[in-house]
Amino acid sequence: MLDDFKLLIGGKLVDGDGSMDVINPATEKSISRCPRASKEQFDLAVRAAKAAYPGWGATPIPTRQKVLSAIADQIETNRENMARLLTLEQGKPLSEATLEVGITAAFFRYAADRSYDTRVLVDKDNQKVELLRRPLGVVAAIIPWNFPLMILAFKMPLAMLTGNTMVVKPAATTPLATLFFAQLIADVVPPGVVNVVTDANDLGDVLTSHPDVAKVAFTGSTATGMKVMANAAKTMKRFSLELGGNDAGIVLDDVDPATIAPAIFKGAFFNNGQVCLALKRLYVHESKYEAICTELAKLADAALVGDGLEQGTAIGPLQNAVQYEKVKGYLEDARENGRIVAGGEVPDGPGYFVKPTIVADIVEGARLVDEEQFGPILPVLKFKTVDEAVRRANATSYGLGASVWSSDRSRAREIALRLEAGTVWINQHIDLAPNIPQAGTKRSGIGVEIGEEGMLEYTQIQVLNEAI
Ligand code: NAD
C-alpha cells in the first residue's frame, strides 16, 4: 500500500511525470515516494474532466446517487488502511484519523440521499416558466493539509451529485490518503468524472487559470485565496473560498470553569490546533480568569504528545516543517508578551512536536493574538464588560467562527448575534455535520460550503420560459 501511489486521470491510474517524498511529521522520515504531476498532466486531467462532463451532467440523479453510495462503501471497507495512512502523513492521532475517514464516508452518504427539483414559477394556460439547476462543468477542488479527506468530502459529493466533473488537488505534504482514495474509486466512478493530480505546491494556478475549469472550490489560507480569486477573474470562473480564521471565544462570568474547560480545550487543540475553525483567542471575564487558566493548564499538562500511531497519543506533531517553524515563532512571541501557564516546550528529537500551550496575561498587539497561529498555543485574554469583549472579538479581518460560553442561554444567544462570524457556537466550539452549511465572513471566505446551500453553489440557474 505504501509504495504504489498513482495519479487518476481519465479513469486510468498513471505514474506522475515526476516524483517526490512524503514525510512523516512524527519521524521526519520519508513514508513513500509519491507521483508528482507535470503541468501537462494537470492539463490532461482537466481535459479528461471536460470530456466526461456532457455524459455525467446528463446522467440521471438517481444514478449519480448510486455512484456516491458506492464511494461511501469503498471508504468504509477500507477505513483502517485509510486512517493509518492519514496518521502517517498528517500526524493526527489514529483515533482522529479514523473519525475523519468516518466523517468523509458520512458526507458521501448524505449527498447520495439528496436531490433537487426544478421549480415552476409560472404555470398558466399560455405560459410556463421553470427554474432549473444546471451543473457548472469542471470543478477544481484544491485542498489543504489539515484534513485532506474531510475537506475533500465537503466538496466532492455535492459537486458530483449536481452533475459536475472534477479535478482534485491535495496539498503537497498530504497527498497519500487522497491518492489511495483515488485508487479505491477508479473503478467506481465513470472515467474522467473525477481526476486526482498532485503537485509540489507549485501548480495550483494551472487549475485556477485554466479556461476549461468552470469553478474553483478552494480551502486554504487567506493569502492564497486572494491569488485564486484574482486568477479566477480572468476567465470569470465561479469560486468558493474557505479561508483562514482567528476564532474568538467569550467566557462569561456565570460559567463553571471545571465543567466547560474540556470543551474549550477540545475546541482549541483538536487536530493540534490546525483547524480553520479552531478556537484561537479566548476572552474570559476577569472573575473567572485565573480559574479558567488553571483548568486549561491541567488539561494541557495531561495531554500526551507523541506519534499518532502510538496508543494514548492525544496530540500529534505539527503537520509540516514550515508550520512547525511558524508555531515556534508564536511560542517566542508568547514568551515575550505573555505568561506561559502550561506547555511552552518543544520536545527534543525528531518530529515536529510542540506541547499544548496556554498563554495568560497577553493582549492584542502580540502576534499570537492578532494572527492565525494554526497550532497548539492558546492565548487567554481578560475582559471586564461584555461590550468590551464583543468589540475585541470582532476586531479582526477574519470572521469564520466564534463561541459564547455561559450558563444563561438567552444571554449567550444575545451576545452570539453580535459576533461577526459565519458560525457562532454556544457552549461548544467546532461542530460540523453534512447538513449544516459553513461560510466565512470578511476575509475568511466567499461562498457557502456543505448542506443544501453548499450544494446549490455547484449549480447554475437556468430559466426555461415557454409561451404556450
Ligand atoms: P495554503 O493556502 O498554503 O494551501 C492550500 C492549497 O492551495 C494547497 O493545496 C496548495 O498547494 C494550494 N496552493 C498553493 N498556492 C496556490 C496558488 N497560487 N493557486 C492555487 N492553489 C495554490 O494553505 P495551507 O497552509 O495548506 O492550509 C492552512 C490554511 O488553510 C489556514 O489558514 C487555515 O485556516 C485554512 N483552512 C481553512 C478552512 C476553511 O474551511 N475555512 C479549512 C482548513 C484550512
Side-chain angles (χ1 to χ4, degrees), residues 142-146 151 169-172 199 201 204-205 208 218-222 224 227-228 242-245 276 280 372 374 400 438 444:
I142 300 182
I143 312 293
W145 43 256
N146 55 347
I151 290 176
K169 191 199 86 60
D199 69 344
N201 205 19
D205 62 352
T208 59
F218 174 85
T219 299
S221 62
T222 296
T224 309
K227 290 186 199 161
V228 170
E242 295 287 330
L243 308 176
C276 54
K280 294 181 179 131
E372 182 188 35
F374 220 61
L400 203 52
Q438 184 181 314
S444 285

